[in-house]
């Protein structure tokens, strides 16, 4: 499989045969299964093309598999509480988890817990990064969707509470799903809610671009890569297609089912919880509480394939398969570290005889006192000596401070 292969990655709440299944999108051939536990809704993520992370349904831990190892569970990441949603940064440097009403941000290379964000008032339901990993979005049962600048979150002092870049409060019932398009901070994002609306936003300005009203609650939302269409999954099993290229410019629109017969995907018998579009925009993947995953031809609205599960589908998305998935000899560049349950600086400072300086090196750099490593350089400051230690991984160098003369 030298050429890029699109695969469907799916989980259900039963987990009888496996936790997660991977199958080739066009042929339906089963490629991999990963065993151990049951993955919760919006709690499945690929990390750096090397690991599969899955927040466990009703549990306080995340399962992690090496992609090429198939049925062998590699690691459990214990969290401070029940994991309600999970995502990983596209650049592979950070992992986000929703734990009750808080957002936990970890650095992958060290396992350090960098931030705990408490700006939601009820449980988190969904998290998503922008494609350039510069921002992330959070949605919760408190009807709020928040946009966060990763740079701002990392640079703020621990004594201060980071502020979101935007607070979107126009939904009147809990947010069920969100989707972020391409373009980094210039991208558009869509939010779905039990209030029967899907709203389209501009991340850079925070402006509401479009609000679409349906005749039922919406449980899932996605867009194609070209952002020509919004796809919205309803509680009755219908999937609605909203055309954005013919959008006349008004900010409010009502989707009238009787007038939009050519814009409906019908086949599911229960609420549609997951939606994803293929890279070429021709295929739509949907997962439902009716215990099936369906693959649709977008143009004809015909169902091409139905894959049965043993329980309600909690995650289903299309992704270009990483090369490591098909190479049993491929190993991760770095093993996953032990993820900390305490904020960086609070755990390492306990019982320490000397104080340490923590320096933040740029947007994707976060460092702190760690186990001794070989010095690769040093410089003197009045009363102190700064020692630069080598740190493997993408997060740069580890910088610690020792009193002069040590």
């Amino acid at each position: 499989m030298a050429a890029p292969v699109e695969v469907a990655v799916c989980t259900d709440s039963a987990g009888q045969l496996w936790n997660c299944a991977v199958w080739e999108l066009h042929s339906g051939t089963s490629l991999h299964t990963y065993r151990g536990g049951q993955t919760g809704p919006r709690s499945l993520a690929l990390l750096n093309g090397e690991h599969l992370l899955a927040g466990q349904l009703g549990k306080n831990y995340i399962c992690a598999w090496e992609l090429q190892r198939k049925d062998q569970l590699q690691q459990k990441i214990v969290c401070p509480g029940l994991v309600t949603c999970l995502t990983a940064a596209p650049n592979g440097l950070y992992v986000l988890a929703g734990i009750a009403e808080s957002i936990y941000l970890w650095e992958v290379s060290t396992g350090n817990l960098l931030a705990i964000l408490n700006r939601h008032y009820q449980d988190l339901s969904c998290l998503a990064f922008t494609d350039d990993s510069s921002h992330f979005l959070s949605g919760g049962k408190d009807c709020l969707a928040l946009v966060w600048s990763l740079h701002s979150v990392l640079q703020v002092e621990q004594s201060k509470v980071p502020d979101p870049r935007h607070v979107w409060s126009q939904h009147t019932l809990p947010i069920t799903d969100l989707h972020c398009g391409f373009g980094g901070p210039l991208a558009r994002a869509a939010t779905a809610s039990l209030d029967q609306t899907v709203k389209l936003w501009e991340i850079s300005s925070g402006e509401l671009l479009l609000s679409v009203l349906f005749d039922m609650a919406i449980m899932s939302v996605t867009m194609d890569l070209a952002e020509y269409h919004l796809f919205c999954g309803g509680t009755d099993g219908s999937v609605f297609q909203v055309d954005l290229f013919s959008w006349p410019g008004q900010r409010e629109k009502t989707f009238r089912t009787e007038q939009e017969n050519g814009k409906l995907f019908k086949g599911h018998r229960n609420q549609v919880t997951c939606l994803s579009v293929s890279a070429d925009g021709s295929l739509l993947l949907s997962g439902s509480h009716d215990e099936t995953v369906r693959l649709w031809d977008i143009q004809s609205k015909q169902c091409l394939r139905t894959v049965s599960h043993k329980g309600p589908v909690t995650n289903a998305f299309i992704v270009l398969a990483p090369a490591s998935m098909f190479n049993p000899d491929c190993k991760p560049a770095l093993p996953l570290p032990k993820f900390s349950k305490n904020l960086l600086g609070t755990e390492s400072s306990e019982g320490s005889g000397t104080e340490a300086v923590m320096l933040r090196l740029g947007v994707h750099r976060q460092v702190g006192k760690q186990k001794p490593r070989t010095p690769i350089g040093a410089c003197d400051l009045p009363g102190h000596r700064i020692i630069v230690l080598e740190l493997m991984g993408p997060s740069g160098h580890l910088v610690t401070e020792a009193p002069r003369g040590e």
Side-chain angles (χ1 to χ4, degrees):
M1 297 188 179
V5 176
E6 282 189 299
V7 297
V9 185
C10 310
T11 66
D12 61 53
S13 61
Q16 293 183 11
L17 303 178
W18 27 254
N19 186 318
C20 178
V22 179
W23 45 276
E24 203 276 325
L25 191 64
H26 296 278
S27 67
T29 303
S30 178
L31 301 175
H32 285 299
T33 57
Y34 301 88
R35 295 181 181 177
Q38 302 89 35
T39 301
R42 323 223 181 281
S43 298
L44 187 68
L46 282 175
L47 176 61
N48 207 27
E50 297 177 335
H51 292 89
L52 185 67
L53 303 181
Q56 296 306 286
L57 184 64
K59 305 290 184 181
N60 67 330
Y61 62 86
I62 300 168
C63 286
W65 298 267
E66 294 178 11
L67 282 182
Q68 81 287 359
R69 298 294 293 274
K70 297 186 184 181
D71 296 323
Q72 186 175 354
L73 179 61
Q74 297 301 305
Q75 185 174 336
K76 287 185 179 179
I77 301 171
V78 179
C79 299
L82 300 184
V83 178
T84 58
C85 51
L86 174 75
T87 191
N91 61 16
L93 298 182
Y94 303 99
V95 169
L96 284 173
I99 298 175
E101 71 277 3
S102 301
I103 304 171
Y104 283 67
L105 172 65
W106 285 278
E107 184 180 46
V108 172
S109 61
T110 63
N112 288 331
L113 178 59
L114 303 183
I116 302 175
L117 306 175
N118 299 295
R119 287 299 299 269
H120 283 276
Y121 304 102
Q122 296 184 42
D123 289 356
L124 272 292
S125 55
C126 42
L127 290 163
F129 270 98
T130 56
D131 61 307
D132 66 347
S133 304
S134 66
H135 291 71
F136 60 90
L137 289 75
S138 59
K141 294 181 179 180
D142 56 3
C143 315
L144 296 178
L146 307 181
V147 180
W148 303 85
S149 165
L150 181 61
H151 177 271
S152 298
V153 170
L154 294 180
Q155 298 301 322
V156 73
E157 296 179 9
Q158 287 191 7
S159 59
K160 296 182 180 180
V161 179
D163 291 321
R165 181 173 176 180
H166 302 299
V167 177
W168 295 333
S169 57
Q170 283 85 336
H171 285 292
T172 57
L173 287 175
I175 291 175
T176 55
D177 194 14
L178 57 83
H179 173 82
C180 187
F182 281 83
L186 301 178
R188 297 188 294 179
T191 55
S193 171
L194 294 179
D195 65 8
Q196 303 185 6
T197 68
V198 168
K199 298 184 186 295
L200 186 66
W201 312 83
E202 185 177 65
I203 291 179
S204 59
S205 66
E207 181 182 0
L208 175 63
L209 302 177
L210 176 65
S211 180
V212 185
L213 176 64
F214 298 87
D215 57 4
M216 68 187 68
I218 301 299
M219 305 304 298
S220 53
V221 65
T222 193
M223 289 188 286
D224 59 332
L225 292 185
E227 299 185 10
Y228 274 20
H229 310 288
L230 269 173
F231 298 96
C232 313
T235 51
D236 72 341
S238 298
V239 179
F240 309 99
Q241 175 183 311
V242 180
D243 295 336
L244 297 178
F245 62 86
S246 60
W247 169 39
Q250 73 268 23
R251 296 197 178 202
E252 294 187 2
K253 175 179 179 179
T254 299
F255 190 96
R256 304 187 185 280
T257 304
E258 65 278 3
Q259 299 176 6
E260 303 281 0
N261 290 328
K263 306 294 176 60
L264 289 176
F265 299 80
K266 285 191 169 293
H268 286 296
R269 301 182 307 277
N270 206 330
Q271 60 181 325
V272 177
T273 55
C274 324
L275 290 171
S276 183
V277 181
S278 62
D280 64 0
S282 65
L283 300 174
L284 175 69
L285 187 75
S286 61
S288 169
H289 276 191
D290 67 5
E291 304 183 1
T292 65
V293 172
R294 290 176 178 262
L295 185 67
W296 308 83
D297 178 76
I298 291 178
Q299 185 173 4
S300 67
K301 307 297 184 292
Q302 296 299 310
C303 180
L304 304 178
R305 183 172 294 107
T306 301
V307 178
S308 297
H309 285 248
K310 297 295 184 180
V313 177
T314 52
N315 297 272
F317 58 81
I318 298 170
V319 66
L320 286 175
S324 60
M325 183 175 286
F326 306 114
N327 184 359
D329 299 323
C330 184
K331 294 182 179 180
L334 288 174
L336 280 180
K338 181 180 179 181
F339 279 43
S340 174
K341 292 190 291 184
N342 298 299
L343 275 174
L344 178 65
T346 60
E347 192 174 34
S348 59
S349 62
E350 295 177 0
S352 176
T354 60
E355 293 185 355
V357 166
M358 179 183 67
L359 301 181
R360 301 178 186 267
L361 306 181
V363 179
H364 302 303
R365 314 290 192 199
Q366 171 98 19
V367 296
K369 185 178 178 183
Q370 299 286 330
K371 296 180 180 179
R373 291 177 173 83
T374 304
I376 62 173
C379 64
D380 291 327
L381 292 176
H384 298 82
R385 182 173 178 79
I386 302 297
I387 304 172
V388 181
L389 304 178
E390 183 178 6
L391 176 66
M392 296 179 64
S395 59
H397 294 97
L398 186 71
V399 181
T400 62
E401 174 193 304
R404 181 184 293 277
E406 289 194 5

